[in-house]
Amino acid sequence: MKTIYKLLLPLFSIIILVGCSDDDNMQELTGEGIVKLSFDNAVGSDDLLLGSSGYTNSQNEVLTITRLNYIVSNFTLTNDKGEKFTYPKDDSYFVTSEETGETEISLTNIPAGRYVSVTFGIGVDQEKYLQGAEGQGTFLAKAEATNMMWAWQAGYKFLNFEGTFTSQSVTEPTNFKVHMGSHGSSLDNYKEVTLNLGTEALVSDEMTPIIHLVADANAILDGANKLSLSEQAVIMVSEEKSPKVAANVSGMFTVDHVHNGTGDTH
Amino acid sequence: MKFLYSILMLGVFMSCSNDDEYASFAENEQLAFTVPKNFPEMVYDIESNPPTKFGFELGKKLFYDGKLSSNGFISCGFCHEQRFAFTHHGHQFSHGVNDLSGTRNTPSVANMAFLNEFSWDGATSHLDLFPIIPITNEVEMGETMTGVMTKIQADREYQRAFEAAFEEGGVSTENFLKALSQFMVMMISSNSKYDKYIRGEDGVQFTEKEAYGLDVFNEKCASCHATDLFTDSSFRNNGLPPNPSLNDLGRAEVSGKASDNYKFKVPSLRNVALTAPYMHDGRFGSLESVLNFYTRGMVDSPTLDETLRNGEELGIPLDDEEKEGLLAFLQTLTDDTFINDKRFSEY
């Protein structure tokens, strides 16, 4: 038995070596690693600073943002060969919160590879919701602690965006609240986006890339759909407006850059 | 002093030995669950949360525990009383913590495993997630899920009860919600006179009046109060004049659709003779008033159910004989077995 191994071993090594020489100018990526996604919240071209001086949008409304929390979920990474790796669904729900500084998420045990795009959802899909207690697991507590649960309806806020604003018609600083989620079984506001990474994100035993995404808070009200706070400052369960907010939010993300390396540097 | 202390300690030990009933998960067993013959298909996914002996007992303990509220007194059972088929009898609006009252009438908790929408407006479509609403509502229980879980985690008796009921997870939100569901899933009301008559059990017969009432009901009410659950689980506007001091929009509060204004879930009529007051805001104190409303009390609005418009007249025409028949029939929906079932009772 042992002698067979002894004979086979060199043979295998040759095969492996030959296999490697095919892509000799490419690094061999093996094992699995962590992919970090950093959500850098911004307003337009500026960094988002909660509670700091007003920011003027294209509708001439001046916003002071005090809260920006959103749920991201159901991550899938696609590699250069077009193969998709879907992150285990039960572990694929995250709240990112500017207030608490929890804006980076780590996806672990990602198979080695060269990833070219990322797909994720904003919010919680109906399939997950309808799994009841079993499906929510510890995410419920997380959502409650970060102001992402609605109390009057047992559902999630996908986006919690709050602050004060002034405009030509509203001269005193006035609170605004934009809470977006699905409306019971009546309206599903869960959306998915796919973003090209621009640079390949390299994952292996040694390589832990950080994907920096920019989330432009300006797009929430001032994206493809224009929503005026002067007209309505509290947008929660509006059949007309909340799908527009959902569409805007799904358009607020871009990949800014990817860091390849050991994952220690940003 | 020392003596007093020992007595206290003794008390503690004795109370510990009391909860030996939650022996261990190994002794847990699945409870039999049968869908009554005359019922539609079950909606609840029982495979993912099969009721067990200890899970059910835990759910019951939670249902009757005031710890779930901020003031420590208001339990689920405070508003959902068994004697009245788990409604809040005599209260138009449910009373919660700090004596704040809500704006809605407490519906019956029975046959929940067969419904796909919960509360008057369908604020959730999964039974497991329903308890979050009363627990976190400031006028009902005024707590947070995290707050409740912290209290429960600190309680030794609960720790043991959770361990015995669930193989994994111990005291967790998931198991907490599962236990409450197990209790509610088992709460089936299916042994009224009507059920026995329909299933041909025990030689139960309807009187002439009751049989006539059933015919009238099938002709005039069963389009909405459908199946042997007496609801089609849809949201409809049955023509109640909106209460101007509340202006409760019903389903539209969840959906945000103007076309859902003033639509409410069609309630089940099981045990209806016990569940006064009636309608989402508990405005009617008797079934006579309900029938008078159906014949002459409706108001028109853009979302009024089409079936309630008949030419010039609004409403459901009913003569005195038909009303009497209906009242007699509605009494047959009372299920004494259910309201006296020891498995569900607080004490």
Side-chain angles (χ1 to χ4, degrees), chain B residues 15-27:
Chain B
S15 69
C16 285
S17 61
N18 275 344
D19 45 54
D20 270 347
E21 51 186 294
Y22 303 110
S24 74
F25 182 76
E27 286 162 61

Side-chain angles (χ1 to χ4, degrees), chain A residues 133-171:
Chain A
E134 175 89 24
Q136 315 318 307
T138 54
F139 190 64
L140 267 183
K142 176 82 205 165
E144 188 182 64
T146 48
N147 294 296
M148 300 307 270
M149 288 296 294
W150 262 317
W152 55 275
Q153 151 188 335
Y156 298 102
K157 296 172 192 166
F158 300 173
L159 169 81
N160 187 336
F161 179 51
E162 297 178 353
T164 59
F165 79 103
T166 54
S167 70
Q168 214 145 33
S169 58
V170 180
T171 49

